[in-house]
Amino acid sequence: MNARPIPNTLSIAGVDPSGGAGSLADVKTMSALGAYGCAVIAALTAQNTQGVTGISPVPPAFVGLQIDTLFADVPIAAVKIGMLGQQPVTLVVAEKLAKWQPAHVVLDPVMVAKSGDLLLERDAVSAMREALLPQATLLTPNLPEAGVLLEERPVESVKEMRRVAERLRNKMAYDGERWVMVKGGHLPGNDTIDLLHDGDRMIELPGHRIETANTHGTGCTLSAALAALLPQTGDVPEAARRAKAYLTEAIRQSGRLSAGSGHGPVHHFHAWW
């Protein structure tokens, strides 16, 4: 019997030198979950667990060259899109995805860091909404990001999350299987319910808050986990359940690390060491 093929997955994101978020966290996550992780660097940051001290853009044409060069050689099964930073980069990524048409595109609309630092220029939000969102097969906003995408205030209840999930799904394309996963980590209380919606089904993914400051890069990690698991499961709800379970345990075991004194990273390789 032949072994199951190992999927090649791609992170298009920024670099966090501390390794807790961005492309470094994405490749760790993909590796931990049985995929071969590749990365296209869309932005450079100077940051640690306490904050972002600087952002340097990557020339849009070079971002496009990275994507074209990689796809010309490596069969990519799934793409995760994270921090893009600027409108020109966002438009180039949208153009290249339309050209290469990967089977799975997980869009994590990264806008603000855990420290509160802005990671997406305001004029890039409309480019993301109009050029990238229609190409996504799975959208993973938290509640503040969902509010920005819909140009309304962030919601504060599961009931409101349902309406937001429906409205976001209506902004995605109608061909094929497309889902939105609205993350409820910003809800008040100890429950962290996520909603998964495909225009028909509305699936609740329950969870409970873990008391820790080590939540740096949780959104990056979840979306990268989804990109790693989608080609292996072929089922969005199953991939989502497994990705959330992986992230939950990575948060739970994050105290074993000692990387910084601010919002620490999660333990991506908790099952290994």
Side-chain angles (χ1 to χ4, degrees):
M1 179 182 296
N2 292 330
R4 183 182 64 191
I6 297 170
N8 302 312
T9 55
L10 169 62
S11 164
I12 304 177
V15 172
D16 166 14
S18 75
S23 58
L24 294 176
D26 291 346
V27 171
K28 291 177 190 177
T29 300
M30 293 167 176
S31 302
L33 290 173
Y36 179 80
C38 304
V40 163
I41 305 306
L44 307 175
T45 75
Q47 67 174 298
N48 54 28
T49 65
Q50 299 183 53
V52 179
T53 59
I55 297 176
S56 180
V58 175
F62 192 72
V63 174
L65 180 60
Q66 291 180 74
I67 295 172
D68 280 340
T69 303
L70 181 64
F71 271 91
D73 179 50
V74 180
I76 298 296
V79 176
K80 169 263 168 81
I81 301 171
M83 176 190 175
L84 300 180
Q86 295 187 318
Q87 182 188 49
V89 172
T90 304
L91 293 174
V92 164
V93 170
E95 174 194 337
K96 297 305 181 182
L97 289 179
K99 173 183 176 180
W100 293 104
Q101 297 188 343
H104 304 283
V105 177
V106 180
L107 175 57
D108 182 17
V110 176
M111 297 176 181
V112 181
K114 275 289 184 299
S115 57
D117 296 288
L118 190 66
L119 297 178
L120 184 68
E121 293 181 352
R122 299 191 188 282
D123 62 357
V125 175
S126 60
M128 176 178 288
R129 189 187 296 120
E130 296 163 15
L132 270 182
L133 188 54
Q135 297 190 61
T137 52
L138 178 57
L139 174 68
T140 65
N142 61 30
L143 298 186
E145 291 162 349
V148 172
L149 288 173
L150 293 173
E151 299 179 280
E152 61 181 39
R153 66 167 180 82
V155 302
E156 298 175 349
S157 69
V158 176
K159 180 179 179 181
E160 290 181 313
M161 281 175 64
R162 290 177 176 273
R163 175 183 57 81
V164 163
E166 290 172 349
R167 291 190 61 197
L168 286 171
R169 176 59 185 83
N170 287 336
K171 290 186 176 294
M172 302 175 76
Y174 289 98
D175 62 306
E177 188 178 22
R178 299 180 189 271
W179 293 77
V180 58
M181 184 177 182
V182 181
K183 300 177 294 188
H186 287 79
L187 288 174
N190 291 321
D191 291 330
T192 56
I193 295 173
D194 301 329
L195 288 183
L196 197 60
H197 181 53
D198 68 346
D200 180 23
R201 290 170 285 176
M202 185 79 71
I203 301 171
E204 284 194 10
L205 302 176
H208 298 284
R209 199 175 308 281
I210 299 170
E211 291 302 321
T212 178
N214 300 326
T215 56
H216 181 52
T218 50
C220 301
T221 297
L222 180 67
S223 53
L226 288 163
L229 291 167
L230 281 171
Q232 299 181 68
T233 63
D235 181 73
V236 174
E238 175 62 18
R241 292 186 186 98
R242 288 176 55 181
K244 182 164 183 173
Y246 165 80
L247 175 60
T248 299
E249 194 60 25
I251 296 172
R252 194 186 315 278
Q253 297 201 37
S254 62
R256 295 167 59 193
L257 303 175
S258 56
S261 56
H263 291 286
V266 304
H267 190 352
H268 297 97
F269 290 110
H270 60 265
W272 299 95
W273 44 267

